[in-house]
Amino acid sequence: MIRFDQVTKLYAGNNRPALNSVTLEILRGEFVFLVGASGSGKSSFLRLVLKEENPSKGQIHVLGQNLGKLTSRKVPYFRRNLGVVFQDFRLLPQKSVFDNVAFSLQVIGKSKGFIQEAVPDVLKMVGLAGKSGRLPHELSGGEQQRVAIARAIVNKPAILLADEPTGNLDPSTSAGIMTLLERISGGGTTVLMATHDAGIVDQMKRRVIELVSGQIVRDERQGGYQTQALPVQRQAPPPTETGLGAQR
Ligand SMILES: Nc1ncnc2c1ncn2[C@@H]1O[C@H](COP(=O)(O)OP(=O)(O)OP(=O)(O)O)[C@@H](O)[C@H]1O
């Protein structure tokens, strides 16, 4: 579904690679957390999957396509198979909830009839059935993120990429968003989510890929936010004249 073979990404003017020889495979229907400190390469990884950036070295396959061989004419068609959600929602402020979702279908040429059916269905699925006429500023943060998710999934993408989707939300609202993403994943969509939210990662026990300085340092089946594999290092007590550690 998503395969990286020794992918390195160097940005112009930055001599440390954002991703450094990353090799991994993500299978259909998996729910994967991408974790790591700020600047470790998570967003770069997502941008490469979307072909918003190209690798400096290595190969990327997404949905059976070698992205290096995808012509720019074909990129918009390729992206129809991917939904994307961001921390800051990115809704169109002057458009209603319905129109925000409908717009993404209009731009890819879906018929009016299709839109009239698909939009209410997806708004119901994300729990916003009664709010289709509202403007974004008339919604809570959690509701705005639900609109963004509805927009991302209305065309039934095979892959949903989420870059810190709960970053602006409180814990209980975040939990609701995660329940929704789990439901989407349960329907067969591959979900890849970059996050700093340790509570969510620890609770969900899904696959966790950890990046440090652009390299994968951990890929665990049912991981937590922090590695479980390494033992906790205890500081040895300082030696005393008797050779025993100081007693307190
Ligand atoms: N367009 C760019 N041009 C130059 N350097 C970039 C660009 N985008 C990212 N970088 C650099 O690449 C590295 C990885 O950045 P990236 O945004 O992928 O990290 P991240 O893990 O998503 O961070 P955060 O958690 O803060 O979003 C950083 O050193 C960053 O400064």
Side-chain angles (χ1 to χ4, degrees), residues 90-92 95-104 136 147 151:
R90 304 199 188 175
L91 301 176
L92 298 164
K95 285 191 187 286
S96 68
V97 166
F98 184 99
D99 288 342
N100 262 280
V101 179
F103 186 67
S104 66
V147 179
R151 180 180 58 185

Side-chain angles (χ1 to χ4, degrees), residues 9-14 16-19 35-47 53 87 163-164 194-196 211 214:
K9 175 65 189 173
L10 271 160
Y11 291 103
N14 198 341
R16 274 201 16 213
L19 288 177
V35 305
S38 200
S40 58
K42 305 181 296 297
S43 302
S44 297
F45 186 94
L46 299 181
R47 286 201 296 273
E53 297 282 353
Q87 175 172 357
D163 199 353
E164 295 265 8
T195 187
H196 288 287
L211 291 169

Side-chain angles (χ1 to χ4, degrees), residues 210 212 216-220 223-234:
E210 181 176 351
V212 172
I216 295 181
V217 296
R218 177 163 66 107
D219 186 349
E220 275 184 306
Y225 187 72
Q226 276 172 334
T227 183
Q228 306 296 309
L230 298 173
V232 177
Q233 298 287 314
R234 287 191 195 283

